[in-house]
Each structure stands twice: as structure tokens, then as C-alpha cells.
Amino acid sequence: MSFKSIIQDMKGEFGSISRRGFDVKFGYGMRSRSHRVVQDSSVPVDVFKQSCWANMPPELLRDVLMRIEESESTWPPRKNVVVCAGVCRNWREIMKEIVKTPEISCKLTFPISLKQPGPRDSLLQCYIKRNRSNQTYYLYLGLNQASNDDGKFLLAARKCRRPTCTDYIISLNCNDVSKGSSTYIGKLRSNFLGTKFTVYDAQPPNAGAKVTKSCSTRLINMKQVSPRVPAGNYPVAHISYELNVLGSRGPRRMHCVMDAIPASSIEPGGVAPTQTEFLHSNLDTFPSLLFFRSKSTRAESFQSGPLSDQKDGMLVLRNKSPRWHEQLQCWCLNFNGRVTVASVKNFQLVASPENAAAGQEHENVILQFGKVGKDVFTMDYQYPISAFQAFAICLSSFDTKIACE
């Protein structure tokens, strides 16, 4: 039996499981919800037990799964890797060992990869679409060079105005962007002037992270709300925009302190914190097969220890200064063709000189963001920041800045 035949057979089995589960879950009739849920959870298991893949030798199974992971390297075919991880606990553990982090593989596969640092030697190309009508922003993984293609959905954010600040709620589910959602993973909060922002993670970014108390966290500790609500706000980054007291028109000046990333991470051999599992909330109701999440809540979910409370130990980023183009009469940055529309929102972040041992600036672009259409923007990032952190930083550029412009 050829490998191609094996893959086709496996896809046929998965398709049968998915279709039968789908038919039961969304079948017509007046059955009770509990009855539907019981049947929905039992059908895939029964189908898999009857499958020829149930008793496959571990060595052969690992080899087949490794070949699937290697062959399905891009989206949308890579969803087959996620489907394999969702078959059973045994397959899940094998796939978790086979699939590497974005830092090594340069691929986004499971939801937790959005919280892990990007590739070390290349920018991961994404783009953001803005919906002005409902103040919502969607992050996609670019599948080709066109920013208007049907990319792989990654994250969604919704703008919530409050009397003294503005919040951007970030979720894994584009249809449920709220802090009470089981797919809520963090938020961005601004001050009244829109000059200072704080990025909060819904779970600790490292073993020594401290939660920031808020009304929602106090209610959770008192057990007055649903346990599905995330249990904390952990500050992972602080973004500030320089005040424009003279009122002169010009490029913005950004300053970003990454609370959860050490300054040494940008040096050769440096290491950034890498989350390996989601600790809070439950993604069992996530309405998509494109992503998978382990239910484990083990304490060993971090691959690095706590950072020092001193700012000196944190990575500091600043925007790369543009140059004035005499012929075009405008400020310019080299985005290597990824940005096509001039905008005050466009920026490139590099390591600040204070991170360097010799005080010299690191010119390696860690995050770049720019406009390519009316409501379409590119977002490219790399190690040591994650897609979640990069998305939150880019959201700060959308917010109105009363005192900066």
C-alpha cells in the first residue's frame, strides 16, 4: 500500500468522522440539547474504534503522522495536521512532539502558536482587515503575496470605548469577541489621550508573572461569575507615543517595553519565554476544526523563568526613524514592497540602543506594520515577539491620539 493511498484512506476516515459528527450536531428535529450532545460526542469515538487506524503500531503511526506534517506544510492543507491531533489523546501527544514552535518551523499550526515567538531569521507575513462599522479588526496569515486573498484567520479584536480609556478585546473566535468568551486571550488598554497603552495576557507569560487586579478578576476570585471567564490580566507590554507639544506634522515616535521578554533574547543564543499550553478557559466549544488545543493544565507550561522587575532586564523596542525624501516630499521607510500607501500609522520596530551592550542600535526589524488599502494593513513579525503581542502593538496604531497629531 503506497503512502499516498494511506494518506487518502486516513483523510477519508477523518472526513467520515467529521461529517457524521456534523450531521448529528446540526441535525434537524426537536431532540433535547443534552441528547444531541451525548450523541455528538459518541459518534466520532465509535467510528474511530471501528477504523483500521485504532490498533496501528506506535512506530508506524508516528512515521505516518510525521509524513503528514511534512507534506501539509501550508494552509489550508495544514488543517489535516490539526485534525490528526484531535483524533484521540495518543495522536494528540504524538503531534505535539512532531509539530515544532514557530521559532523553529516558521509555521503557525495550533492556537498556542499565536502566543509563541515567531521565526528567528525571517518575518512571518500577516495582514489585518478593519471593519469600521462594528469597530472590529481581524488578523489573517497571508497565504500569498496578495493582501486581499482568503488568508487563514488567526485573531479578532473589538474596540470598546469607556469613559476614561479604550479597550481592544482580543479573541480566537471572530464571532465571539468578548472578555467573557472562552476564546478570550488578552486585551489592549489605552489611556484617555491615546498616548500610553498596556497589553494584557489572559494567562501568565512566564512562571513569575504577576496578575494585575481589576474589577473582573476580583469578581472571579469571589466566584460571582462564570468559571469560563479568564482569571487574570497579566501585563506583557507597555507602549507609549511621544507627545507632540508643538503641533508639527511628522512621523509618530513609539516606545515599547516588553515586560515578558528579556533584552538578552535578541542576542545570539538568547531565549524568549515560550508558552506551551493554554491554562485558562476551555476551547471545547471553539467552532472550527482548523485549530486544536490541549485540555491539560499542567504547571510545566512555560519554558523560561520569571524576569527581573527592573526595566533594564526587559526588551525595549522603538520605531525606526524614517528619512525625508526630497523628491517625494514625504517621510519614507523601506518596507520591501509590503506597504504601498503612505500613512501616519505605518511603522517599523527595532531594538532600542539601550538593549545593546555597546549602545549601538539593532537594525533588524522585529515588527513592521503598514497600509496597503482602505481598510487593509500588513503585519510582519519575527522572534522574539509572538503574533498576539504583534497584533496588540499594531492595534495601538489605530487608536486616536489626541495629543500626538
Side-chain angles (χ1 to χ4, degrees):
M1 189 177 187
S2 66
F3 175 69
K4 184 176 181 180
S5 301
I6 292 177
I7 298 299
Q8 291 177 347
D9 189 17
M10 293 184 71
K11 288 182 178 179
E13 291 287 349
F14 297 148
S16 175
I17 292 174
S18 300
R19 286 192 298 273
R20 292 183 63 176
F22 183 86
D23 292 340
V24 172
K25 184 175 181 180
F26 297 99
Y28 297 99
M30 300 302 293
R31 293 173 295 178
S32 66
R33 177 175 178 177
S34 60
H35 182 64
R36 292 198 303 270
V37 170
V38 170
Q39 285 201 355
D40 183 39
S41 60
S42 63
V43 169
V45 175
D46 293 339
V47 172
F48 184 72
K49 285 182 178 180
Q50 298 172 5
S51 170
C52 62
W53 304 102
N55 300 317
M56 178 179 291
E59 296 79 7
L60 179 58
L61 174 60
R62 176 178 290 273
D63 182 65
V64 171
L65 294 181
M66 287 181 65
R67 296 193 180 205
I68 292 176
E69 197 278 333
E70 292 174 359
S71 62
E72 313 288 13
S73 59
T74 59
W75 289 93
R78 195 160 179 80
K79 66 181 179 182
N80 295 322
V81 176
V82 183
V83 172
C84 287
V87 169
C88 64
R89 184 180 298 275
N90 185 29
W91 287 43
R92 177 168 69 243
E93 294 303 322
I94 294 176
M95 292 307 298
K96 286 171 62 178
E97 295 177 6
I98 294 174
V99 177
K100 304 302 180 183
T101 62
E103 176 187 352
I104 300 173
S105 66
C106 302
K107 300 183 184 73
L108 297 175
T109 306
F110 303 136
I112 194 61
S113 61
L114 300 174
K115 291 288 193 73
Q116 297 172 340
R120 279 187 178 267
D121 300 322
S122 62
L123 290 168
L124 203 55
Q125 296 184 346
C126 308
Y127 65 92
I128 299 172
K129 286 188 176 181
R130 174 177 58 184
N131 188 328
R132 294 174 182 265
S133 62
N134 58 7
Q135 294 291 287
T136 307
Y137 305 82
Y138 304 96
L139 176 66
Y140 296 88
L141 176 65
L143 302 184
N144 53 50
Q145 293 298 320
S147 57
N148 58 352
D149 66 337
D150 294 328
K152 172 69 184 78
F153 169 78
L154 300 178
L155 293 170
R158 181 170 58 87
K159 186 177 182 178
C160 302
R161 293 186 181 275
R162 308 189 187 284
T164 59
C165 64
T166 300
D167 282 351
Y168 291 83
I169 306 300
I170 304 175
S171 171
L172 291 167
N173 190 344
C174 61
N175 297 318
D176 188 4
V177 188
S178 64
K179 195 171 181 180
S181 169
S182 61
T183 54
Y184 165 80
I185 62 170
K187 69 179 181 181
L188 172 74
R189 168 165 290 184
S190 76
N191 63 355
F192 176 74
L193 296 177
T195 57
K196 296 184 181 299
F197 298 80
T198 303
V199 180
Y200 293 98
D201 198 330
Q203 71 176 35
N206 53 59
K210 297 181 180 180
V211 66
T212 298
K213 290 291 183 180
S214 64
C215 179
S216 59
T217 56
R218 287 195 295 270
L219 289 175
I220 292 167
N221 293 334
M222 295 169 61
K223 299 182 180 180
Q224 295 182 5
V225 296
S226 169
R228 292 177 57 192
V229 179
N233 292 321
Y234 297 87
V236 295
H238 289 81
I239 310 159
S240 60
Y241 289 82
E242 187 173 308
L243 292 173
N244 186 358
V245 295
L246 300 178
S248 58
R249 297 181 60 85
R252 293 173 176 174
R253 293 185 179 180
M254 292 177 62
H255 189 261
C256 185
V257 179
M258 308 302 297
D259 301 38
I261 303 177
S264 60
S265 63
I266 60 175
E267 302 296 336
V271 178
T274 303
Q275 299 182 25
T276 58
E277 291 178 334
F278 284 105
L279 299 183
H280 302 309
S281 80
N282 189 338
L283 297 186
D284 290 343
T285 58
F286 192 56
S288 173
L289 286 176
L290 298 183
F291 273 148
F292 159 81
R293 179 209 158 192
S294 170
K295 297 180 183 178
S296 174
T297 56
R298 295 173 296 180
E300 300 85 5
S301 293
F302 308 101
Q303 296 181 354
S304 65
L307 294 180
S308 170
D309 291 336
Q310 299 298 322
K311 180 181 175 182
D312 294 340
M314 302 175 185
L315 176 64
V316 180
L317 305 176
R318 69 168 185 82
N319 67 307
K320 193 173 183 178
S321 300
R323 61 181 179 83
W324 179 257
H325 197 290
E326 289 293 342
Q327 294 180 343
L328 299 177
Q329 290 293 298
C330 65
W331 296 97
C332 296
L333 278 172
N334 182 15
F335 288 93
N336 295 309
R338 291 285 291 164
V339 177
T340 57
V341 180
S343 173
V344 70
K345 297 179 176 64
N346 302 347
F347 67 81
Q348 289 180 324
L349 288 186
V350 296
S352 178
E354 58 194 274
N355 289 309
Q360 295 181 351
E361 177 185 1
H362 290 263
E363 290 295 332
N364 192 28
V365 175
I366 295 175
L367 170 64
Q368 67 178 19
F369 171 79
K371 192 172 184 178
V372 293
K374 181 179 180 181
D375 290 302
V376 183
F377 303 79
T378 57
M379 185 197 88
D380 304 336
Y381 75 99
Q382 67 171 333
Y383 192 90
I385 66 174
S386 65
F388 163 71
Q389 294 166 340
F391 186 44
I393 294 173
C394 291
L395 289 174
S396 71
S397 187
F398 286 106
D399 201 59
T400 303
K401 295 161 182 57
I402 301 174
C404 294
E405 300 165 0

